[in-house]
Amino acid sequence: MSGLPNYHALKVDAAKCIGCTHCMKACPTEAIRVIDGLAVIDHERCVDCGQCHRSCPTRAFYVEQDDLAKIKAFKYRVILFPSIMIGQFPEKYNETQIYSGLKKVGFTHVFEVEQPIQLLIDSVNEYLRNEENPKPAISTYCPAVVRLIQGRYPSLSENLILRKAPHDLAAHFAIERLLLEGAQRDEIGLFYATPCIAKIASVKSPVGERESIVDGIVNMNHLYNEVMKVISEVEVEDNSVQRQNLSEEGILWSLTRGESRHFGSRSIAIDGIHNVVRFLERLENDQVKGVDFLELRACDQSCAGGILLTGNRFLTVEKLERRAKRYPSAKDISESTIRVNIEELKQKLVIDSISPKPLFIFGKDRVKAMDKMTRAQRIVCSLPGIDCGACGAPNCHALAEDMVNRKAKMSDCIFLQQMWEDEGKITAGKAHLNVQKKWGTDRFKADCNKRGRRNEGF
Amino acid sequence: MKLTFSIQGGDFTHAGHPSSEVKKVLKQLDIDGKTIKNIVIALYEAEVNVVAHAWMGTVSVDIEENKITIWVTDEGPGIADIELAMQAGFSTASKEVREMGFGAGMGLPNMKKNTDELQIESEVGIGTKVKMVNYFS
Ligand code: SF4
Ligand code: SF4
């Protein structure tokens, strides 16, 4: 699959969006504005963290996905998925039944992505041992965090660890294994099921690479439903040989502290995008000393809190922790079980570079930018400062910035408008029209069934 | 463009607000990361000095096309021997302040290291005025 520039998986369904401003307030990069009564995402700014999706009371955000039928084009059809998925299924189904269910859906090979994880651990440790790499080294595991750093903390881009994620590892591993079985490369189709919209985006437009290794992305919720339709209620033939390379460490990898427990003498793990933002502010101010490894995850409870999951995140964590105990330590899995060339595989985990992509700049011309910022500052003085969002921007400051960037007008602020009316600067009729333009005519009708009525979807 | 902030002596919880705000503005102006870092470190040190030693202070910032000038002015005990205070490890911070992880005696040397120009004027019993200039590349 060739890389698409700036791809984002989240879309807004205009039929469902009620323009309630919840998403706009939750977004960590102020990427959302309400225009004509609908949420609009600025794709330059979006980092795919999913906060908007979570905060939406009407489920207006949906995720674009590839059609499962696409797998039919391949002789070897590989499903790659993170361990988290196993934690979704009801307790009465065991791993063997789930694996066999995935095959019934149409896949020929089933690979959990966190294997053989020791390779990734070794590779990251190699990276950390190099004194030239800036500390604290920041994991690149969570693509939403990587994009956040590139855009909002560009100077910290150099702290990102230049190593790929488990799904890349497993993809290469799966290919090598199938080639050993006698498959041709073009007969192998790799499909990646994920609970994560940021992973979808990072697979469709990879950071630091032109081509993506997988052929399709599967929404984990969707796959879960498909498997549940066909899963066997009775014991099926043992298939544990397919999990020979899975380890305790691998199963825990996508949970909070899944990485940090392995690296550095002083490491910190942080989950939840707003917690991450607060910490990165400090780090950028050079107020964090002596830490050598940072695991930062956008979702609360890390990937167990990914947005395309069915189960409760805390129950998922508990289930995975129990599952992990049944598996051997990664160190105890012998190279002969892995069977492919380990050094070659390790080479494939290296990323060349991750460049900063500053999002919040006011243009390249510094004098003009300063002029704009001074104007924005002056505008803020006249705004009420209650950050109500009725103008369609997340806060007064953002509105002022939009104004100097010619994306908004003074009259978008309903307070200013009210004042102007009082001062006789505009007519009441014109003021009403302005608000209607922003929020649509329906907003003003008394209608107990209107979209956004009390309790809808809450 | 100009920015001003006030600092309250003894308020360690909020030390760092002016430096964060200045950082935000410099990022929006697309100043390179290294320069921003130097400025933020120097300003943060200056803020902490005010918080740790003085009663109150102000930060005034003037950003021009090719440089940033920051004045940190406080009403406080002042510095008797500026040259001595410039030496790494020299500190007059109280025990309580040191226990909070501040006052290791790196303040002024760190400010010097991270600024292109540093001027300090101080009068014992009245206060201290620090001027820092950094040039943009
Ligand atoms: S996914 Fe995150 S960054 Fe993108 S619009 Fe939604 S809240 Fe904002
Ligand atoms: S924590 Fe996991 S699921 Fe959430 S955005 Fe990051 S990688 Fe995706």
Side-chain angles (χ1 to χ4, degrees), chain A residues 7-203:
Chain A
Y7 176 88
H8 297 281
L10 272 188
K11 302 275 160 354
V12 182
D13 183 344
K16 287 190 185 152
C17 176
I18 57 174
C20 66
T21 75
H22 291 202
C23 57
M24 183 172 87
K25 299 250 171 193
C27 175
T29 58
E30 295 183 350
I32 299 180
R33 296 292 180 273
V34 176
I35 301 172
D36 294 331
L38 292 179
V40 178
I41 302 176
D42 175 350
H43 289 299
E44 286 292 319
R45 281 199 178 182
C46 174
V47 297
D48 305 290
C49 68
Q51 280 301 320
C52 49
H53 181 283
R54 284 190 191 91
S55 64
C56 180
T58 64
R59 296 173 202 212
F61 291 87
Y62 65 94
V63 178
E64 263 193 350
Q65 55 184 308
D66 290 326
D67 187 359
L68 257 185
K70 243 175 99 175
I71 69 172
K72 294 207 185 94
F74 299 92
K75 181 165 168 206
Y76 299 88
R77 303 179 290 276
V78 181
I79 181 72
L80 304 162
F81 62 92
S83 262
I84 291 280
M85 186 160 111
I86 301 285
Q88 297 305 294
F89 288 88
E91 297 272 349
K92 63 173 184 169
Y93 301 115
N94 60 32
E95 292 158 30
T96 313
Q97 286 162 311
I98 299 168
Y99 268 57
S100 114
L102 282 161
K103 289 205 170 164
K104 280 198 207 158
V105 171
F107 294 101
T108 60
H109 293 78
V110 180
F111 280 87
E112 284 185 57
V113 297
E114 295 93 352
Q115 55 175 334
I117 204 74
Q118 190 62 41
L119 264 70
L120 189 55
I121 297 179
D122 291 346
S123 184
V124 171
N125 271 325
E126 261 163 41
Y127 180 89
L128 295 175
R129 270 197 297 274
N130 184 343
E131 296 285 333
E132 278 167 29
N133 293 324
K135 293 274 152 59
I138 305 174
S139 164
T140 37
Y141 174 81
C142 174
V145 167
V146 173
R147 285 189 192 214
L148 180 77
I149 288 176
Q150 286 179 295
R152 193 164 159 179
Y153 305 96
S155 69
L156 296 176
S157 300
E158 59 178 30
N159 293 56
L160 290 165
I161 299 174
L162 298 172
R163 292 297 182 272
K164 291 186 189 163
H167 73 264
D168 294 293
L169 167 68
H172 289 290
F173 179 55
I175 292 172
E176 297 302 320
R177 287 290 284 254
L178 288 175
L179 294 179
L180 281 180
E181 276 182 32
Q184 300 292 319
R185 177 64 187 90
D186 57 1
E187 293 173 328
I188 307 173
L190 297 173
F191 294 83
Y192 175 41
T194 174
C196 171
I197 54 158
K199 296 261 186 210
I200 296 184
S202 82
V203 166

Side-chain angles (χ1 to χ4, degrees), chain B residues 22 26 33 44 54 65 69 86 89 91 99-100 104-105 107 113 126 130:
Chain B
V22 169
L26 295 175
Y44 182 69
E65 188 183 352
T69 313
M86 290 298 274
S91 175
E99 272 167 5
M100 280 192 263
K113 206 172 79 195
I126 308 261
V130 174

Side-chain angles (χ1 to χ4, degrees), chain A residues 152-155 280-281 284-287 358 360-364 366-367 369-370 373-374 377 401, chain B residues 1-3 16 19-20 23-25 27-31 33 37 40-41 44 63-66 136-137:
Chain A
R152 193 164 159 179
Y153 305 96
S155 69
L280 288 175
E281 285 291 333
E284 199 183 39
N285 294 357
D286 211 33
Q287 292 162 20
F360 291 91
I361 51 177
F362 267 81
K364 285 278 165 206
R366 197 176 293 153
V367 177
M370 281 200 325
M373 288 181 65
T374 312
Q377 271 185 347
E401 290 180 1
Chain B
M1 63 186 291
K2 293 183 169 43
L3 306 161
S19 42
S20 286
K23 179 186 71 179
K24 224 183 274 168
V25 170
K27 273 161 83 176
Q28 284 177 313
L29 290 174
D30 202 16
I31 307 295
K37 206 166 176 180
V40 168
I41 294 174
Y44 182 69
I63 304 172
E64 292 162 87
E65 188 183 352
N66 59 348
F136 305 142
S137 40

Side-chain angles (χ1 to χ4, degrees), chain A residues 12 88 101 151 160 191 262 271 282 311 315 326 330 332 365 412:
Chain A
V12 182
Q88 297 305 294
L160 290 165
F191 294 83
H262 303 292
D271 56 8
R282 281 192 158 251
L315 296 175
R326 290 192 276 112
D332 298 334
D365 182 331
D412 287 339

Side-chain angles (χ1 to χ4, degrees), chain B residues 26-72:
Chain B
L26 295 175
K27 273 161 83 176
Q28 284 177 313
L29 290 174
D30 202 16
I31 307 295
D32 80 283
K34 261 223 127 38
T35 312
I36 297 185
K37 206 166 176 180
N38 291 339
I39 295 166
V40 168
I41 294 174
L43 177 53
Y44 182 69
E45 290 290 359
E47 277 177 62
V48 169
N49 275 345
V50 176
V51 172
H53 301 287
W55 304 302
M56 56 179 298
T58 50
V59 177
S60 335
V61 182
D62 186 15
I63 304 172
E64 292 162 87
E65 188 183 352
N66 59 348
K67 67 173 187 195
I68 174 169
T69 313
I70 303 176
W71 293 268
V72 183

Side-chain angles (χ1 to χ4, degrees), chain A residues 291-312:
Chain A
V291 174
D292 35 32
F293 181 88
L294 287 178
E295 169 196 305
L296 308 175
R297 311 272 178 90
C299 300
D300 181 18
Q301 297 298 317
S302 293
C303 307
I307 64 168
L308 303 176
L309 285 181
T310 325
N312 172 282

Side-chain angles (χ1 to χ4, degrees), chain A residues 257 260-269 291-294:
Chain A
R257 291 208 68 78
S260 66
R261 70 179 79 216
H262 303 292
F263 304 119
S265 53
R266 285 181 60 192
S267 63
I268 298 180
V291 174
D292 35 32
F293 181 88
L294 287 178

